[in-house]
PDB file of all heavy atoms in Angstrom:
ATOM      1  N   GLY A  39      10.454  91.201-102.298  1.00 91.00           N
ATOM      2  CA  GLY A  39       9.246  91.982-102.419  1.00 91.00           C
ATOM      3  C   GLY A  39       8.432  91.720-103.687  1.00 91.00           C
ATOM      4  O   GLY A  39       7.379  92.389-103.875  1.00 91.00           O
ATOM      5  N   GLY A  41       6.903  89.065-104.570  1.00 94.00           N
ATOM      6  CA  GLY A  41       5.749  88.219-104.403  1.00 94.00           C
ATOM      7  C   GLY A  41       6.091  86.706-104.423  1.00 94.00           C
ATOM      8  O   GLY A  41       5.197  85.923-104.582  1.00 94.00           O
ATOM      9  N   LYS A  42       7.298  86.348-104.230  1.00 95.00           N
ATOM     10  CA  LYS A  42       7.705  84.939-104.234  1.00 95.00           C
ATOM     11  C   LYS A  42       7.029  84.140-103.104  1.00 95.00           C
ATOM     12  O   LYS A  42       6.399  83.030-103.271  1.00 95.00           O
ATOM     13  CB  LYS A  42       9.182  84.749-104.085  1.00 95.00           C
ATOM     14  CG  LYS A  42      10.053  85.474-105.207  1.00 95.00           C
ATOM     15  CD  LYS A  42      11.504  85.266-105.005  1.00 95.00           C
ATOM     16  CE  LYS A  42      12.065  85.846-103.746  1.00 95.00           C
ATOM     17  NZ  LYS A  42      12.123  87.241-103.697  1.00 95.00           N
ATOM     18  N   SER A  43       7.174  84.700-101.882  1.00 95.00           N
ATOM     19  CA  SER A  43       6.544  84.085-100.705  1.00 95.00           C
ATOM     20  C   SER A  43       4.970  84.127-100.940  1.00 95.00           C
ATOM     21  O   SER A  43       4.358  83.138-100.531  1.00 95.00           O
ATOM     22  CB  SER A  43       6.917  84.900 -99.446  1.00 95.00           C
ATOM     23  OG  SER A  43       8.253  84.780 -99.221  1.00 95.00           O
ATOM     24  N   THR A  44       4.461  85.209-101.415  1.00 96.00           N
ATOM     25  CA  THR A  44       3.000  85.249-101.551  1.00 96.00           C
ATOM     26  C   THR A  44       2.578  84.136-102.517  1.00 96.00           C
ATOM     27  O   THR A  44       1.555  83.457-102.337  1.00 96.00           O
ATOM     28  CB  THR A  44       2.607  86.599-102.186  1.00 96.00           C
ATOM     29  OG1 THR A  44       3.063  87.589-101.301  1.00 96.00           O
ATOM     30  CG2 THR A  44       1.148  86.829-102.311  1.00 96.00           C
ATOM     31  N   GLN A  82      10.982  79.749 -94.127  1.00 93.00           N
ATOM     32  CA  GLN A  82      12.291  80.471 -93.911  1.00 93.00           C
ATOM     33  C   GLN A  82      12.622  80.516 -92.471  1.00 93.00           C
ATOM     34  O   GLN A  82      13.766  80.430 -92.085  1.00 93.00           O
ATOM     35  CB  GLN A  82      12.098  81.862 -94.488  1.00 93.00           C
ATOM     36  CG  GLN A  82      13.365  82.650 -94.414  1.00 93.00           C
ATOM     37  CD  GLN A  82      13.288  83.987 -95.204  1.00 93.00           C
ATOM     38  OE1 GLN A  82      12.194  84.381 -95.602  1.00 93.00           O
ATOM     39  NE2 GLN A  82      14.351  84.603 -95.386  1.00 93.00           N
ATOM     40  N   ASP A 158      10.612  77.973 -98.853  1.00 96.00           N
ATOM     41  CA  ASP A 158      10.725  79.405 -98.941  1.00 96.00           C
ATOM     42  C   ASP A 158      12.088  79.813 -98.387  1.00 96.00           C
ATOM     43  O   ASP A 158      12.240  79.991 -97.104  1.00 96.00           O
ATOM     44  CB  ASP A 158       9.604  80.101 -98.175  1.00 96.00           C
ATOM     45  CG  ASP A 158       9.486  81.543 -98.543  1.00 96.00           C
ATOM     46  OD1 ASP A 158      10.391  82.141 -99.237  1.00 96.00           O
ATOM     47  OD2 ASP A 158       8.472  82.228 -98.122  1.00 96.00           O
ATOM     48  N   GLU A 159      12.990  80.100 -99.207  1.00 94.00           N
ATOM     49  CA  GLU A 159      14.426  80.422 -98.794  1.00 94.00           C
ATOM     50  C   GLU A 159      14.816  79.709 -97.583  1.00 94.00           C
ATOM     51  O   GLU A 159      15.122  80.238 -96.524  1.00 94.00           O
ATOM     52  CB  GLU A 159      14.474  81.942 -98.454  1.00 94.00           C
ATOM     53  CG  GLU A 159      13.833  82.813 -99.601  1.00 94.00           C
ATOM     54  CD  GLU A 159      14.300  84.282 -99.606  1.00 94.00           C
ATOM     55  OE1 GLU A 159      15.346  84.556 -98.948  1.00 94.00           O
ATOM     56  OE2 GLU A 159      13.616  85.150-100.134  1.00 94.00           O
ATOM     57  N   VAL A 190      12.028  78.616-103.440  1.00 97.00           N
ATOM     58  CA  VAL A 190      12.284  80.036-103.593  1.00 97.00           C
ATOM     59  C   VAL A 190      13.656  80.371-102.952  1.00 97.00           C
ATOM     60  O   VAL A 190      14.015  79.863-101.873  1.00 97.00           O
ATOM     61  CB  VAL A 190      11.234  80.850-102.819  1.00 97.00           C
ATOM     62  CG1 VAL A 190      11.587  82.279-102.679  1.00 97.00           C
ATOM     63  CG2 VAL A 190       9.853  80.811-103.504  1.00 97.00           C
TER      64      VAL A 190
HETATM   65 MG1   MG E   2       9.879  85.995 -99.105  1.00 93.55          MG
END
Side-chain angles (χ1 to χ4, degrees):
Chain A
K42 303 180 297 289
S43 296
T44 305
Q82 184 173 11
D158 194 353
E159 308 199 22
V190 167

